[in-house]
Amino acid sequence: MLENILNEQACEQLRTLVHHSETIICVSHRSPDGDAIGSCLGFAECLRMMGKEPQVIIPDQYPDFLQWLPNSEKIIRYDKHKEGCDWTLQHADLIICLDINTLERTGDMAPALKASPAKKVLIDHHLDPDVDATLVISRPKASSTCELVFRLAWQLGLFEEAGKHFAIPVYCGMMTDTGGFTFNSTDPDIFFIIGQLLTKQINKDKIYRNVYHNYSENRIRLMGYVLYEKLVYDAPRHAAYFTLSRSDLKRFQFIKGDAEGLVNIPQQIKGLKLSISLREDTEKENLIWVSLRSVDDFPCNEVAARFFNGGGHLNASGGRLECSLEEAVKITKEAIAAFEEQLKG
């Protein structure tokens, strides 16, 4: 049986906040991934079971391989409907912030969120939560925010009523944030949760195929190009990195989500401890998106924080640099050299 993640007072506070709110909005971070979309859709379904009609607003485009999720057609993109979203945020009663530890992670939507008089609830599994919220539900040891959404539904007594519209996005978010349950998923409770989700008659194999076997031909060719042409392997330091320039992305007709998971592939090299991806933004000059992955106890989140203006989890982190791609490569080499002792250890 799962342990409750909220004490009685916090649980009642959450119920009261929802009960006394008419306009409720679920939001997540820019460039939303499976956990961001899954937790928003999953918690929105919880709110429906509590008699509410929430809205889901995300900052910008999310990958094609997530657009099949139930109720995803109801998601509103801030970058496409800024004026209407600003009005809604200003008149909201309650905003549920999911899978973000700071409002800055919502990008251009952050000013409107900060200006909103609505009460806020934070549900997240990242380190160092920094959101001015009435209720903060932060569990950095959780596998995903979707795991927290499940635990809340369980504790609130909603799971028995829940159906596939809850179970599918929650399973999807847990799956994607653990790489198909290959990392950050050693807690036995996670597999109890999976078992419970399967009682809702979801097709876990189809969910996997929809996410991981749903890429375009161009994405597959991009992957081959990265591995053959772009990958730089520092064997003595057990590290690798690669770059994706704007011209590279244009050559392979890049769309949002095509770079998803590429940073994980070099980890198949025997003994590799750190993999870093550097990708030029397709629109803004001198903006580099950085993804980092590591294995065992190597802290890629420390590398992200120290060199890439970022952070995250021990084995999966991200950041950004405001510089040229050439300068980003130089910083990456400095980062690998700075952590040489730990990488060789």
Side-chain angles (χ1 to χ4, degrees), residues 115-184:
S116 173
K119 293 180 179 179
K120 296 180 179 67
V121 172
L122 176 68
I123 305 173
D124 183 48
H125 74 130
H126 296 91
L127 296 169
D128 305 319
D130 184 21
V131 175
D132 184 15
T134 302
L135 177 61
V136 174
I137 305 170
S138 173
R139 300 293 185 275
K141 291 185 178 180
S143 68
S144 56
T145 301
C146 277
E147 178 190 335
L148 299 181
V149 168
F150 178 93
R151 287 175 175 271
L152 290 172
W154 187 269
Q155 184 173 351
L156 291 168
L158 301 172
F159 182 70
E160 185 174 350
E161 179 187 347
K164 290 184 178 181
H165 280 46
F166 170 83
I168 289 173
V170 168
Y171 180 89
C172 181
M174 291 181 65
M175 179 189 73
T176 54
D177 240 34
T178 59
F181 305 102
T182 61
F183 56 81
N184 199 29

Side-chain angles (χ1 to χ4, degrees), residues 311-339:
H313 303 289
L314 180 73
N315 298 131
S317 299
R320 56 185 282 171
L321 293 171
E322 295 183 1
C323 63
S324 67
L325 194 56
E326 291 74 18
E327 181 64 21
V329 169
K330 181 180 177 182
I331 293 170
T332 298
K333 291 178 178 178
E334 291 172 356
I336 293 171
F339 283 82

Side-chain angles (χ1 to χ4, degrees), residues 48-304:
R48 292 187 186 97
M49 289 185 280
M50 298 172 78
K52 302 299 178 178
E53 287 298 329
Q55 298 181 50
V56 175
I57 301 177
I58 61 171
D60 54 10
Q61 184 179 2
Y62 59 101
D64 285 350
F65 57 75
L66 296 174
Q67 294 182 15
W68 59 272
L69 288 168
N71 284 327
S72 61
E73 71 280 0
K74 298 178 181 178
I75 293 174
I76 302 170
R77 280 176 51 184
Y78 182 83
D79 61 336
K80 293 290 187 181
H81 306 281
K82 181 181 184 302
E83 185 175 346
C85 289
D86 283 344
W87 189 95
T88 303
L89 290 168
Q90 188 62 31
H91 292 83
D93 300 307
L94 183 63
I95 297 174
I96 313 294
C97 303
L98 294 132
D99 203 37
I100 51 176
N101 56 347
T102 172
L103 295 183
E104 277 67 25
R105 290 196 64 201
T106 63
D108 293 340
M109 192 164 72
L113 282 172
K114 292 178 180 179
S116 173
K119 293 180 179 179
K120 296 180 179 67
V121 172
L122 176 68
I123 305 173
D124 183 48
H125 74 130
H126 296 91
L127 296 169
D128 305 319
D130 184 21
V131 175
D132 184 15
T134 302
L135 177 61
V136 174
I137 305 170
S138 173
R139 300 293 185 275
K141 291 185 178 180
S143 68
S144 56
T145 301
C146 277
E147 178 190 335
L148 299 181
V149 168
F150 178 93
R151 287 175 175 271
L152 290 172
W154 187 269
Q155 184 173 351
L156 291 168
L158 301 172
F159 182 70
E160 185 174 350
E161 179 187 347
K164 290 184 178 181
H165 280 46
F166 170 83
I168 289 173
V170 168
Y171 180 89
C172 181
M174 291 181 65
M175 179 189 73
T176 54
D177 240 34
T178 59
F181 305 102
T182 61
F183 56 81
N184 199 29
S185 54
T186 56
D187 185 344
D189 283 351
I190 293 172
F191 296 92
F192 172 81
I193 292 171
I194 294 170
Q196 292 301 311
L197 291 170
L198 290 174
T199 67
K200 301 300 180 179
Q201 307 305 313
I202 64 174
N203 187 334
K204 71 176 184 63
D205 298 332
K206 186 175 181 180
I207 294 172
Y208 184 93
R209 291 196 305 273
N210 283 351
V211 172
Y212 294 114
H213 296 172
N214 199 19
Y215 293 115
S216 67
E217 175 190 351
N218 286 319
R219 196 274 187 181
I220 299 300
R221 295 188 183 279
L222 173 64
M223 180 171 64
Y225 172 70
V226 166
L227 295 177
Y228 188 70
E229 300 267 352
K230 306 291 287 189
L231 185 66
V232 178
Y233 176 43
D234 187 337
R237 296 188 176 107
H238 308 292
Y241 69 88
F242 62 86
T243 63
L244 284 172
S245 67
R246 192 175 294 178
S247 61
D248 292 331
L249 300 176
K250 184 177 180 180
R251 175 183 174 185
F252 290 95
Q253 301 176 46
F254 176 84
I255 60 173
K256 197 105 173 190
D258 277 355
E260 190 80 20
L262 292 180
V263 69
N264 297 319
I265 300 175
Q267 291 183 296
Q268 297 177 29
I269 299 173
K270 184 177 180 179
L272 193 84
K273 288 190 175 181
L274 176 64
S275 175
I276 301 176
S277 162
L278 306 168
R279 176 173 62 83
E280 274 191 316
D281 190 83
T282 55
E283 297 178 3
K284 296 181 180 179
E285 295 289 342
N286 293 322
L287 176 58
I288 310 297
W289 297 103
V290 186
S291 293
L292 305 94
R293 297 292 185 270
S294 65
V295 298
D296 297 330
D297 59 353
F298 183 82
C300 74
N301 54 345
E302 292 183 18
V303 181

